[in-house]
């Protein structure tokens, strides 16, 4: 996959490379750090990330579990 992930304009937490994540982690169903399934009630939105593949740009929206979100708070 020839993907280059860039952060959105606001400050954000570093997340693992998109190539290392499962489809569920990429879709925000599972925590991007540990892979545990998150629900809307306990998921932390880590902010949109710009994704460029070849000539196409889009965004993906990583999420984290409460444990990892607490460890990434600034």
């Amino acid at each position: 996959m020839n993907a280059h992930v860039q952060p959105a304009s606001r400050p954000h937490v570093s997340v693992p490379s998109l190539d290392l994540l499962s489809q569920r982690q990429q879709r925000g169903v599972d925590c991007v750090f540990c892979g545990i399934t998150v629900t809307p009630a306990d998921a932390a939105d880590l902010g949109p990330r710009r994704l460029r593949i070849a000539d196409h740009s889009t965004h993906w929206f990583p999420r984290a579990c409460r444990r990892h979100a607490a460890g990434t708070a600034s």
Side-chain angles (χ1 to χ4, degrees), residues 1-6 16-27 50-56 58-60:
M1 176 197 245
N2 184 14
H4 179 67
V5 178
Q6 296 178 352
S17 171
L18 189 65
D19 294 340
L20 301 175
L21 301 176
S22 70
Q23 287 184 5
R24 290 177 55 91
Q25 288 171 306
Q26 292 174 19
R27 291 191 337 254
R50 197 171 339 180
L51 173 63
R52 184 164 178 82
I53 301 174
D55 292 333
H56 179 73
T58 189
H59 286 86
W60 71 291

Side-chain angles (χ1 to χ4, degrees), residues 21-38:
L21 301 176
S22 70
Q23 287 184 5
R24 290 177 55 91
Q25 288 171 306
Q26 292 174 19
R27 291 191 337 254
V29 176
D30 295 342
C31 173
V32 294
F33 299 105
C34 67
I36 190 171
T37 299
V38 294

